[in-house]
Amino acid sequence: MDNLDWLSPLSSLKYLNLSGIDLHKVTNWLQAVNTLPSLLELQLSYCKLKNFIINPSIQYLNLSSLLTLDLSQNNITSQLPNWFFNLTKDLTELMLQENNIHGEIPSSLLNLQNLRYLDLSYNKLQGSLPDGISQLPNIQHLSLYGNMLSGSNIPSTLENLSSLNYLSIGRNNFSGEISENTFSKLSNLDHLELTSSNFVFQFNLDWVPPFQLSYLYLENTNQGPNFPSWIYTQKSLQSLDLSSSGISLVNRNNFSSLIERISDYLDLSNNSLTGDISNLTLKGDTLYLYRNSFTGGLPNISLNARDVDFSYNSFSGSIPHSWKNSKDLLFINLWNNKLSGEVLEHVSDWTQLWFVNLGKNEFSGTIPIKMSQNLYVLILRANQFEGTIPTQLFNQSSLFHLDLAHNKLSGSIPECIYNFQDLSDSIAGSIEWFTKGQEYHMEYADSIRKTIDLSANNLSGEVPLELFQLVRLQTVNLSHNNLIGTIPKTIGGMKNIESLDLSNNKLSGEIPQSMALLTFLEVLNLSCNNFHGKIPIGTQLQSFNASSYIGNPDLCGAPLNNCTTKEENHKSTENEVDDSIRESLYLGMGVGFAAGFWGICGSLFLIRKWRHAYFRFVDGVRDKFYVTLMVKLNSFRRN
């Protein structure tokens, strides 16, 4: 919309929702709304609004009836003006989250004595909270998450907010001591979030809170080394996040009972938890236990489990049979454990999977023909898988990261190579990404970085031509196999390739000139093959050192030893051969002439009959020529 002038006749309007409509061209939106004195609820979320500009001719804003105001998810980059909280004293809900609002929170906020819901999260607010915020008697939902607020008065401020049931103040710069006194009056608290905060937590070991939480988020807070005992008392927890909190010691019985009760989200990652939990059944649909030191077998998971990340532990044994019934699994990461068995029989039943990372274990068996058609990421690296690579795997249209390296796979690479989709989003789930000769840990699987790694197997046959036509590929590693054939000229079309490793195979032929066109290529390894000829001249290929080409005896040219000496020797040899042939030709002609000349003349000289016949023939020809000439001459004279 270009303007909101059409609102002015609607003086009785009580409810207005324009959320999701582009209003970035509307500079007078606040003035237009000011013409609606009966308005109770205004929804302008995600409208690309930029500021709180007011026409100086307007003396005041007439929004005294307004109860709900939602300006969330816009591009508001200004400060919160003092007058903003004078719009109405009856406002009960104010949503300004996910903007770029900066500066301090005005003290006029305290005018909103009826405020029940306040969300200022994901902005750039600074300074401390206004003194007296604890005097907002009706506040139930307070979210200040993800700002740059500071001060040590927060713990004491919270003590009197007795109506509070939702508190989210993490990812700020607040400080001070959090103790049982902070929560002594918060009997209605249901949701508590203190993520990445600098508070000092001082709770008595026998403290029993006056509340029963459903959601508790204490990620990246200094809780350890003991598991906070007061959390064991929370019988209604649906979500618990204690990741990166330095916890190593737990009460085994209480701990087991607690994590089995979590029905939704459980994140205990990045701690130092130990022990055998194989006898437990975890009911959450999201289970993150990665980067701990759990031992023994894997725990059972519920039928509704979707995201499971148990990577970087010491789990052993096979995957429990009960996992096979979790048909809704979308994400599974078991990287870097001690697991074994033929796990992939389970994979055939997980038809919804889009992320599978079973790398760095001791799994065996073959890759099943039937797998989820939704796969984005498949990592089976560093196991004992054998057999051939199913053709169906290379028909996955969504697959952008395929890592089957360091197994015992054999046979040829399937000819039917998939075509990458133009995916632009990152996929949740950390992976170990091997490219450019190095290992990278990525918190998110980036769909832009498309990878095929089949290195260190027993693959044979020629590399399918289709693979060198995947123009979106960034990393290809086929090294340490038994592949044969040549590099096709079409490789020049792989404009996005950054890392190419074909080393330690049996590839042959010349390096195509088109490879010089791969301007993004940062790592190249063609060593230990049977390539021959001269390395094509081009800035790209000459920028690599000799290690990229060594082990090809018949390959030369920069950066290997210069081909000039070899070429001169070759040319010299060719010239010598040409001279020898030329001399032989001339000698043969001379000998042939001499032989013919003396063969005829010698015969005439030595044989009388031949000599008499020769002279008679010459005399006859001479006489015939004379007679013919004279007849023609006499005829000419008569005419």
Side-chain angles (χ1 to χ4, degrees):
M1 293 183 182
D2 293 336
N3 65 78
L4 296 179
D5 296 338
W6 55 273
L7 287 174
S8 56
L10 308 177
S11 58
S12 299
L13 194 66
K14 293 184 178 182
Y15 180 93
L16 176 61
N17 187 346
L18 301 179
S19 296
I21 296 176
D22 188 349
L23 301 179
H24 83 275
K25 294 182 179 179
V26 180
T27 58
N28 65 334
W29 65 270
L30 200 49
Q31 291 90 319
V33 172
N34 192 44
T35 65
L36 306 173
S38 302
L39 199 62
L40 298 177
E41 183 168 338
L42 176 60
Q43 302 276 355
L44 295 177
S45 174
Y46 197 65
C47 292
K48 300 185 180 180
L49 298 174
K50 296 181 179 180
N51 48 43
F52 298 107
I53 295 176
I54 293 183
N55 191 324
S57 64
I58 297 178
Q59 299 299 319
Y60 63 93
L61 292 173
N62 185 22
L63 293 173
S64 58
S65 300
L66 197 63
L67 299 178
T68 299
L69 176 59
D70 185 357
L71 300 176
S72 62
Q73 295 179 291
N74 281 290
N75 299 324
I76 299 174
T77 57
S78 58
Q79 298 184 15
L80 284 172
N82 270 307
W83 55 260
F84 185 76
F85 296 108
N86 294 324
L87 292 174
T88 171
K89 293 184 178 180
D90 294 327
L91 196 67
T92 59
E93 296 181 75
L94 177 58
M95 288 150 281
L96 296 173
Q97 70 269 23
E98 297 187 54
N99 280 284
N100 291 302
I101 301 172
H102 56 89
E104 297 187 357
I105 300 175
S107 59
S108 54
L109 172 67
L110 304 179
N111 295 334
L112 305 178
Q113 289 294 298
N114 293 325
L115 197 62
R116 294 199 303 265
Y117 190 109
L118 176 62
D119 195 338
L120 299 174
S121 61
Y122 294 103
N123 279 288
K124 298 180 180 179
L125 294 168
Q126 296 175 302
S128 59
L129 288 182
D131 292 335
I133 195 173
S134 60
Q135 303 306 313
L136 292 175
N138 299 307
I139 193 76
Q140 297 175 6
H141 182 113
L142 177 60
S143 180
L144 305 173
Y145 181 90
N147 281 281
M148 295 180 281
L149 296 166
S150 58
S152 59
N153 64 331
I154 279 289
S156 60
T157 299
L158 298 175
E159 293 176 13
N160 296 316
L161 299 178
S162 57
S163 299
L164 206 60
N165 62 41
Y166 184 106
L167 177 64
S168 177
I169 56 176
R171 297 195 184 276
N172 279 285
N173 298 317
F174 294 127
S175 59
E177 183 178 292
I178 294 282
S179 68
E180 54 264 31
N181 293 330
T182 307
F183 301 102
S184 61
K185 298 179 182 179
L186 306 186
S187 58
N188 295 310
L189 199 62
D190 179 71
H191 182 119
L192 176 60
E193 184 279 317
L194 303 174
T195 298
S196 299
S197 58
N198 298 319
F199 295 121
V200 177
F201 295 88
Q202 296 288 347
F203 296 108
N204 289 327
L205 294 178
D206 56 354
W207 176 58
V208 178
F211 49 74
Q212 281 292 319
L213 297 174
S214 297
Y215 306 93
L216 176 59
Y217 303 99
L218 297 176
E219 175 194 356
N220 195 28
T221 56
N222 188 16
Q223 300 291 330
N226 291 295
F227 194 96
S229 58
W230 67 269
I231 299 178
Y232 294 139
T233 69
Q234 302 301 295
K235 306 299 182 181
S236 302
L237 274 179
Q238 299 176 39
S239 296
L240 173 63
D241 188 344
L242 277 170
S243 59
S244 305
S245 294
I247 299 173
S248 58
L249 302 174
V250 300
N251 180 304
R252 188 57 54 186
N253 291 332
N254 289 340
F255 176 75
S256 298
S257 178
L258 173 68
I259 64 175
E260 280 194 308
R261 289 198 303 268
I262 305 299
S263 59
D264 186 6
Y265 182 92
L266 176 63
D267 190 348
L268 300 175
S269 61
N270 285 298
N271 284 291
S272 300
L273 296 168
T274 61
D276 186 341
I277 58 174
S278 59
N279 62 332
L280 303 183
T281 298
L282 303 181
K283 298 182 177 64
D285 58 25
T286 301
L287 302 168
Y288 294 154
L289 303 181
Y290 59 89
R291 293 188 184 273
N292 280 286
S293 299
F294 289 113
T295 56
L298 292 168
N300 295 304
I301 60 176
S302 69
L303 298 180
N304 64 328
R306 292 198 307 266
D307 293 0
V308 176
D309 192 340
F310 294 164
S311 60
Y312 289 101
N313 278 284
S314 296
F315 288 116
S316 58
S318 59
I319 292 181
H321 186 74
S322 62
W323 284 37
K324 192 172 184 179
N325 299 319
S326 300
K327 305 292 187 180
D328 295 329
L329 269 174
L330 302 175
F331 175 98
I332 181 170
N333 188 352
L334 301 176
W335 173 270
N336 196 16
N337 280 281
K338 300 177 181 178
L339 298 165
S340 58
E342 296 190 6
V343 62
L344 293 182
E345 66 182 27
H346 295 75
V347 174
S348 297
D349 296 297
W350 296 330
T351 57
Q352 304 300 315
L353 277 172
W354 51 266
F355 185 108
V356 180
N357 186 351
L358 306 179
K360 212 169 183 181
N361 282 284
E362 298 172 9
F363 290 125
S364 58
T366 59
I367 301 176
I369 295 176
K370 180 183 177 183
M371 295 187 74
S372 168
Q373 294 299 305
N374 302 317
L375 279 176
Y376 290 105
V377 174
L378 178 61
I379 301 174
L380 306 179
R381 186 185 189 92
N383 280 285
Q384 303 294 320
F385 294 117
E386 55 188 6
T388 59
I389 302 174
T391 300
Q392 289 82 351
L393 189 59
F394 283 81
N395 284 325
Q396 300 276 30
S397 60
S398 299
L399 192 64
F400 66 81
H401 186 94
L402 176 63
D403 189 346
L404 308 179
H406 293 269
N407 280 285
K408 298 179 179 179
L409 299 171
S410 57
S412 60
I413 301 174
E415 293 184 2
C416 188
I417 303 293
Y418 56 86
N419 286 313
F420 293 112
Q421 288 185 341
D422 285 322
L423 303 173
S424 58
D425 297 328
S426 296
I427 307 301
S430 63
I431 64 171
E432 269 39 54
W433 187 46
F434 294 82
T435 184
K436 303 176 186 179
Q438 299 183 50
E439 177 181 353
Y440 299 88
H441 177 78
M442 301 178 65
E443 290 298 329
Y444 294 92
D446 191 344
S447 63
I448 296 177
R449 302 184 178 280
K450 296 172 172 58
T451 301
I452 293 179
D453 193 338
L454 307 179
S455 61
N457 279 285
N458 296 314
L459 299 174
S460 56
E462 295 188 5
V463 181
L465 179 64
E466 294 91 341
L467 189 145
F468 294 107
Q469 295 174 344
L470 298 177
V471 296
R472 299 185 185 94
L473 262 177
Q474 286 190 314
T475 297
V476 176
N477 191 344
L478 306 179
S479 64
H480 295 275
N481 281 289
N482 296 305
L483 300 170
I484 60 174
T486 61
I487 301 176
K489 296 178 180 179
T490 55
I491 194 173
M494 301 178 73
K495 301 297 185 182
N496 296 302
I497 194 76
E498 295 180 4
S499 178
L500 176 63
D501 192 344
L502 302 177
S503 64
N504 291 277
N505 280 286
K506 299 176 181 178
L507 299 170
S508 58
E510 294 185 348
I511 300 174
Q513 179 65 46
S514 61
M515 284 190 68
L517 303 175
L518 303 179
T519 55
F520 286 102
L521 195 61
E522 295 181 27
V523 173
L524 175 66
N525 193 347
L526 302 179
S527 64
C528 300
N529 279 285
N530 297 314
F531 294 118
H532 66 263
K534 186 177 181 181
I535 298 171
I537 297 176
T539 304
Q540 201 63 28
L541 297 182
Q542 270 65 51
S543 66
F544 303 108
N545 58 41
S547 62
S548 296
Y549 303 101
I550 60 174
N552 294 283
D554 296 323
L555 193 64
C556 66
L560 296 176
N561 291 333
N562 200 305
C563 286
T564 303
T565 303
K566 294 181 180 180
E567 289 176 346
E568 287 179 351
N569 291 336
H570 183 64
K571 289 181 179 179
S572 176
T573 303
E574 286 183 347
N575 289 338
E576 290 176 0
V577 171
D578 290 344
D579 291 343
S580 176
I581 292 174
R582 193 177 296 109
E583 290 177 0
S584 299
L585 177 62
Y586 292 158
L587 180 60
M589 290 174 63
V591 170
F593 178 77
F597 179 81
W598 288 109
I600 295 174
C601 294
S603 298
L604 294 174
F605 180 74
L606 296 175
I607 303 174
R608 178 184 300 176
K609 185 182 294 185
W610 285 19
R611 187 168 60 253
H612 290 172
Y614 171 72
F615 287 120
R616 282 196 300 272
F617 172 75
V618 173
D619 288 341
V621 171
R622 184 189 58 188
D623 292 342
K624 188 175 181 179
F625 174 74
Y626 177 75
V627 171
T628 301
L629 179 62
M630 294 306 294
V631 169
K632 294 288 184 182
L633 184 60
N634 291 331
S635 175
F636 176 74
R637 286 175 178 173
R638 284 195 300 268
N639 291 334

